[in-house]
Amino acid sequence: MQTKRMTFNHRWLPYALLAPQVIITLVFFIWPASQALYQSLLRQDAFGFNTTFVGLANFIDLFSDSLYLNSMRVTLIFSVSTTLLSMSISLFFAVLVNKMLRSRDLYTTFLVWPYAIAPAIAGVLWWFMFNPSIGILSYMLQSIGFDWNHRANANHAMALVVMAAAWKQISYNFLFFLAGLQSIPQSLIEAAAIDGAGRFKRFYSIVLPLLSPVTFFLLVVNIVYAMFDTFGVIHATTEGGPAQATNILVYKVFRDGFIGMNLGSSAAQSVILMLIVVLLTVVQFRFIERKVNY
Amino acid sequence: MVENKPWATVLAHLFLILGVAMVAFPIYVAFIASTHPAGSFVSGTMPLLPGGEFWNNYSTVITEGRSRAGTPPIGLMLWNSLLMALAITFGKLAVSLLSAFAIVYFRFPFRMLFFWLIFMTLMLPVEVRIVPTFQVVADLGMLNSFAGLSIPLIASATATFLFRQFFMTVPEEMLEAARVDGAGPFKFFKDILLPLSITNIAALFVIMFIYGWNQYLWPLLITTDQSYYTIVMGIQRMVTAGDSEPLWHLVMATVILAALPPTLVILFMQRLFVKGLTETEK
């Protein structure tokens, strides 16, 4: 990594400039992460008096624990559905808005603001609309004969948190898709039109392939969002229920660590989550290096 | 030429208007609910037009809150959120500007080591290291304080990278000219780099303000004292506190107040917001 050709010469100043960031990183990031790594190899008795070194036993327990495996499955379903739902709606909006000339900015304004809503608030909003006794949408569903109850039905609860999480993410995906669409040369689309390709043919064989870098980028970002930033959606609404149906990994770490007080297991879960983040970050950065070639 | 059928355009507008309405619907419902008296939802049908209790409900939440349910007045929580968001924003901007300056404009031993150290924070979101981070903050005696709310969230790899990228594009001649004129590092930073970075700083400000305002898990963990509650976590307390159905008209008034500041920031600084969003995530 290069610097400027000409730099300042100073013995201690660069360290002083880096100090605030590095100290915060060491104290609040690296140290806790190493603690998680360390604690994941220990086991405490119920009262916290005795700690014994148990090696990888916490990890082995996790992978044979049906609750943890269930949580993994739930996380997978949740993040894939949130990502697909949010990205397809956003792509649809972006394609339509991209056609507009005068009204483009207006529609953009109306579609970007949900980014401002905190995940927890998004959760509460949808929780309220689908509230089985007073919610407006559950009332509508009831009037067409559909009995909605996210407090008892696992699928309903999952659908609810997916909708809330996807709704909040629409603006983000929309902005990136719109930027991607605008960078596609109009001449390619015109050439295809002259060759007789219709509206849908043009979309599938020209627009979609040229959007693939943006799509792939968003795929990774959305999975990361759904896995780690949606804690608020779950915590403010279903709290992992009913019967573990929405207990995603991030929520389970919190529950086991703070409510269950099972530190060893919680630390092991943290370590697994860190590995997932590292993996996703590597995927994302490899992609960014490749983007240059497109 | 690409065909231009009028019916297709009309259809597109139709879909978009429908879409915009659908996206806005949850907030609309929240606003309507916040203008009705307490009992009006229990009957089963939720009204779709504003009621007459706007001032009543909003002044109730702002000044009284729901003290019985364990949340302080919204006014205080809004203030706490603002303080936390601003502390996080300014903190992040300051530390990342300084470290990017050090990394780009100085050559010193262990430069790469520091760079990777900062880079690693990208891979460690609060959510994955909750328990040990909480322990560190507790050991430092920072529970229930603004320092505890903001400082652990201040380190920022993305902002540091963004400023590094930007500093790399600043022409070499700037530094050469400054050095010829006898400017030291501080003068160069203050009088040349900062003014050049102002658009980037503003764009990041928008993104980070929203990030700070919307913090949820962190304030939830480290505040037990009501006087440090922030509004986003306060809503959860209002929804889950007590056995009875929450007082939805007051909850929704709080939701509107909590969502308003970041939404206004986005609407009024849309251009900077888009710039910040697309540049930090590259």
Side-chain angles (χ1 to χ4, degrees), chain B residues 258-279:
Chain B
L260 204 58
T263 311
L264 289 180
V265 167
I266 286 192
L267 290 182
F268 284 107
M269 295 183 233
Q270 196 180 327
R271 215 160 281 279
L272 285 173
F273 163 68
V274 174
K275 180 180 162 63
L277 201 62
T278 44
E279 296 202 347

Side-chain angles (χ1 to χ4, degrees), chain B:
Chain B
M1 286 309 332
V2 179
E3 69 273 42
N4 189 10
K5 294 190 180 125
W7 62 263
T9 315
V10 170
L11 206 65
H13 276 292
L14 207 70
F15 275 129
L16 276 175
I17 290 167
L18 215 68
V20 166
M22 263 165 52
V23 169
F25 189 66
I27 284 286
Y28 178 75
V29 170
F31 177 71
I32 296 302
S34 72
T35 59
H36 281 276
S40 42
F41 320 121
V42 190
S43 55
T45 46
M46 153 95 207
L48 272 180
L49 289 172
E53 295 290 303
F54 179 84
W55 292 114
N56 234 341
N57 290 342
Y58 280 81
S59 63
T60 308
V61 288
I62 289 174
T63 55
E64 293 166 32
R66 299 207 41 220
S67 31
R68 268 179 304 133
T71 50
I74 304 305
L76 179 66
M77 294 204 281
L78 282 170
W79 175 243
N80 288 343
S81 282
L82 183 71
L83 278 185
M84 178 180 73
L86 289 179
I88 291 175
T89 311
F90 283 114
K92 268 181 186 282
L93 287 173
V95 299
S96 43
L97 273 166
L98 290 180
S99 30
F101 179 52
I103 283 174
V104 175
Y105 281 97
F106 290 88
R107 266 187 219 129
F108 53 96
F110 304 117
R111 216 177 100 246
M112 287 310 286
L113 176 77
F114 287 117
F115 184 78
W116 283 106
L117 202 66
I118 295 169
F119 180 78
M120 276 174 73
T121 58
L122 258 191
M123 305 188 183
L124 301 168
V126 189
E127 284 78 4
V128 308
R129 51 185 169 85
I130 308 171
V131 181
T133 314
F134 175 80
Q135 284 163 347
V136 169
V137 174
D139 290 344
L140 291 175
M142 282 161 64
L143 299 180
N144 287 319
S145 70
F146 281 108
L149 276 174
S150 54
I151 292 175
L153 301 175
I154 276 176
S156 172
T158 43
T160 310
F161 289 157
L162 182 77
F163 286 126
R164 187 195 90 92
Q165 298 297 77
F166 176 70
F167 289 167
M168 292 308 290
T169 66
V170 172
E172 298 273 352
E173 290 76 15
M174 291 281 188
L175 180 58
E176 283 160 22
R179 302 245 339 226
V180 168
D181 289 347
F186 282 112
K187 189 146 184 62
F188 176 71
F189 182 71
K190 182 169 76 69
D191 290 341
I192 296 179
L193 273 189
L194 273 189
L196 283 174
S197 328
I198 202 75
T199 331
N200 283 303
I201 293 177
L204 274 179
F205 183 94
V206 174
I207 299 296
M208 286 171 177
F209 180 81
I210 295 167
Y211 165 85
W213 183 275
N214 286 347
Q215 281 304 311
Y216 179 75
L217 174 61
W218 191 240
L220 194 76
L221 289 182
I222 70 156
T223 59
T224 43
D225 179 351
Q226 286 190 18
S227 55
Y228 288 103
Y229 277 14
T230 64
I231 187 135
V232 175
M233 63 162 290
I235 287 171
Q236 188 267 340
R237 289 280 143 94
M238 292 175 85
V239 177
T240 51
D243 300 326
S244 55
E245 189 74 13
L247 294 177
W248 284 112
H249 61 299
L250 297 185
V251 173
M252 287 302 143
T254 316
V255 162
I256 296 287
L257 288 173
L260 204 58
T263 311
L264 289 180
V265 167
I266 286 192
L267 290 182
F268 284 107
M269 295 183 233
Q270 196 180 327
R271 215 160 281 279
L272 285 173
F273 163 68
V274 174
K275 180 180 162 63
L277 201 62
T278 44
E279 296 202 347
T280 45
E281 292 292 348
K282 268 197 292 218

Side-chain angles (χ1 to χ4, degrees), chain A residues 15 21 23 30 34 49 57 59 63 71 74 89 104 107 125 143 154 158 162 205 213-214 223 252 274 294:
Chain A
Y15 298 103
Q21 173 107 305
I23 290 170
I30 308 292
S34 60
F49 293 137
F59 292 93
F63 284 106
S71 177
V74 165
I89 294 175
R104 184 183 291 164
Y107 282 124
L125 284 173
S143 63
M158 175 59 90
V162 166
S205 41
V214 179
I223 297 265
K252 192 167 159 56
M274 281 185 228
Y294 278 101

